[in-house]
Amino acid sequence: MVAGFGFPSQPIVAPQTLVLVHLVAIGWLSLLLSGALIQFVPVLVTKPLAHPELPIVALALLVAGLGSLLLGFLGMAGFPVGSVPWLPLGAIGLAGGFALNLWNLGRTLWSARPIGLPARFVAAGLLSLVGVVTMGAIFSLTLGGWTTNAALLRLTSEGIPLHAALGLGGWLTFTAMGVSYRLLAMFMLSPEAEHRSSRIAFLAGTMAILVILIGGPVCLLIFGRGVVHPLLVALALALVSLVLYGHDIVRLYRTRKRSKIELNARMVAWALGSLGLAALLLLAVTLLGPTDREIGGVVFLLAFGWLTGLGLAKLYKIVAFLTWLERYGGLLGKRPTPRVQDLVNEPRAMPWFWLYFAGVGVASLAALLDAPLVFRAAAFAMLIATARISFELLLTRNLAAVPEALLPDGHRAWAQLHLPILQRQKGWRTDE
């Protein structure tokens, strides 16, 4: 994006934009969410993962399938990628990887029925993923020339909005909503009781998914109409779901027992604000008649302000939490141990989160106003911030902020192995 590859420097339908979209939606967001569910669904339903040996196979298939898919899009853009049928091969790899995860997570949820409300959100998100993968495979096979079926060709030419809505709205957003109900309550020590608003949010969101998943193809392929009406109905239902979800999340913040809000929860609030703003913008551009530029700007805000912002914020806490469990879980009661919060350095990380969200805001506005140079500058700020937040996660993972006296036996402080790097970090002390 910094180099001007894809939207908004190029049209939203350009193959270069398809490279960016799938690199973010699959390579970053879907892999992140899949990994989170593999770790978190057993916690949600208090059952072990049905097939703990499958995630590594699914990961290999997803990475290989994504690589093939991206090569296929680059070939469509005129890059020399050879004569291999990359798009169909990518569809096969991605379908196989997601199918393994769906089977694994689905069996885990099924074994624990009846399941709680957050898990039901996840189940509906997985249903969306089925639609996303099915449509994506059809698109790849038709674009790759492996089928000339008239119905599939029409679905490919007119069904892209359904594919995008199911992916961004159903699979990624609705699943993230369900996970956030439990994660925020757990990390802020808020009451986890189910409320009527939560149940209505689930029902409205699930109905929106079903309208897109079933109503969209039916209107297009059976009745010969477009997908506008199913999308409008789904949007109305989704807005109801989002409003009630926002109400529930505000309640979690207000009823928390932890008086001091940690950095990850503060940044989640900004991600939630991005979700609300994106929903309002989507409603506005729908009423005014959306253009590709406006849709692209709203999708960018959803992908980077809401989903990526949420992912980075929760990773900041989850990496510390999992590292603490691995390194200190067996030492409790045997020797002094640090708190989870002692594994991170919030004052050092905070400016980079602010820079990230500021970059997202400027980039989204630049996309809406068709200012590609401003967008590229803002994307550069996002790049620097993301790299620095990633470095913070690496420091946390290697216990760089833990005092020497509290390090596990046999663990040599990562900081002492990399003093030349760390001493260049502003504010870093050797004794840290």
Side-chain angles (χ1 to χ4, degrees):
M1 290 188 291
V2 174
F5 191 88
F7 179 84
S9 299
Q10 294 169 312
I12 197 171
V13 295
Q16 292 89 337
T17 302
L18 294 178
V19 170
L20 280 183
V21 167
H22 290 84
L23 187 61
V24 172
I26 299 176
W28 160 234
L29 294 174
S30 289
L31 287 184
L32 173 69
L33 193 53
S34 296
L37 292 179
I38 289 166
Q39 177 73 34
F40 199 59
V41 163
V43 177
L44 281 178
V45 299
T46 62
K47 291 280 187 178
L49 194 65
H51 301 284
E53 72 283 357
L54 287 184
I56 187 63
V57 182
L59 176 62
L61 287 172
L62 290 173
V63 171
L66 176 61
S68 296
L69 189 73
L70 298 182
L71 286 172
F73 290 140
L74 289 172
M76 291 171 57
F79 289 86
V81 296
S83 57
V84 177
W86 295 115
L87 287 176
L89 290 178
I92 293 170
L94 290 171
F98 281 124
L100 290 180
N101 282 339
L102 284 164
W103 171 255
N104 203 358
L105 296 170
R107 284 207 61 191
T108 305
L109 291 169
W110 183 259
S111 69
R113 63 190 190 281
I115 56 178
L117 190 62
R120 293 201 294 270
F121 271 84
V122 171
L126 293 175
L127 178 63
S128 295
L129 180 59
V130 172
V132 174
V133 173
T134 301
M135 289 188 187
I138 291 172
F139 297 168
S140 295
L141 293 176
T142 55
L143 292 174
W146 279 26
T147 179
T148 57
N149 181 275
L152 299 184
L153 289 173
R154 183 172 186 188
L155 184 63
T156 300
S157 63
E158 301 183 41
I160 292 177
L162 301 175
H163 179 65
L166 279 175
L168 193 61
W171 157 233
L172 294 172
T173 291
F174 204 62
T175 306
M177 287 165 59
V179 171
S180 67
Y181 270 115
R182 179 60 63 85
L183 277 181
L184 286 172
M186 183 170 64
F187 289 138
M188 295 195 300
L189 302 181
S190 302
E192 295 188 38
E194 293 185 9
H195 297 272
R196 183 180 180 185
S197 55
S198 308
R199 292 190 289 270
I200 298 175
F202 167 74
L203 290 174
T206 302
M207 289 174 62
I209 290 170
L210 292 175
V211 167
I212 298 173
L213 184 62
I214 300 174
V218 166
C219 285
L220 185 63
L221 301 179
I222 297 180
F223 295 105
R225 299 180 181 273
V227 298
V228 173
H229 291 94
L231 287 174
L232 289 176
V233 173
L235 175 60
L237 291 167
L239 289 175
V240 172
S241 179
L242 288 175
V243 169
L244 294 173
Y245 167 71
H247 176 269
D248 291 336
I249 296 301
V250 170
R251 181 195 290 120
L252 288 178
Y253 274 88
R254 287 178 174 173
T255 59
R256 70 186 188 278
K257 295 180 181 179
R258 180 166 284 167
S259 57
K260 182 181 178 181
I261 300 181
E262 297 175 351
L263 179 60
N264 73 91
R266 277 180 281 167
M267 295 302 106
V268 167
W270 280 89
L272 293 164
S274 299
L275 173 61
L277 178 58
L280 290 175
L281 288 173
L282 183 58
L283 178 61
V285 300
T286 300
L287 294 175
L288 296 174
T291 64
D292 286 350
R293 172 172 51 82
E294 292 166 341
I295 292 296
V298 173
V299 168
F300 181 90
L301 182 59
L302 278 171
F304 290 97
W306 156 235
L307 291 166
T308 299
L310 178 71
L312 291 175
K314 298 318 296 182
L315 278 176
Y316 189 72
K317 180 69 175 183
I318 290 170
V319 168
F321 182 65
L322 293 180
T323 302
W324 184 89
L325 282 178
E326 292 172 6
R327 305 294 178 87
Y328 294 101
L331 300 179
L332 288 178
K334 300 178 182 178
R335 51 164 292 177
T337 59
R339 303 170 304 159
V340 173
Q341 196 62 12
D342 294 332
L343 272 62
V344 299
N345 187 328
E346 287 193 357
R348 190 177 62 233
M350 187 185 302
W352 303 107
F353 278 102
W354 291 129
L355 178 62
Y356 175 80
F357 280 105
V360 170
V362 173
S364 300
L365 185 61
L368 288 168
L369 299 178
D370 195 21
L373 291 179
V374 177
F375 176 89
R376 291 167 65 177
F380 182 69
M382 292 168 57
L383 173 64
I384 297 301
T386 303
R388 193 54 177 79
I389 293 169
S390 300
F391 186 62
E392 289 293 324
L393 300 180
L394 183 63
L395 294 176
T396 298
R397 186 67 183 157
N398 288 277
L399 306 180
V402 178
E404 188 76 28
L406 294 179
L407 289 172
D409 294 336
H411 178 90
R412 187 178 182 188
W414 188 89
Q416 296 193 3
L417 296 177
H418 297 80
L419 281 180
I421 298 175
L422 297 179
Q423 286 173 337
R424 291 198 292 268
Q425 302 296 319
K426 183 178 180 181
W428 184 274
R429 302 195 314 273
T430 302
D431 60 354
E432 287 184 326

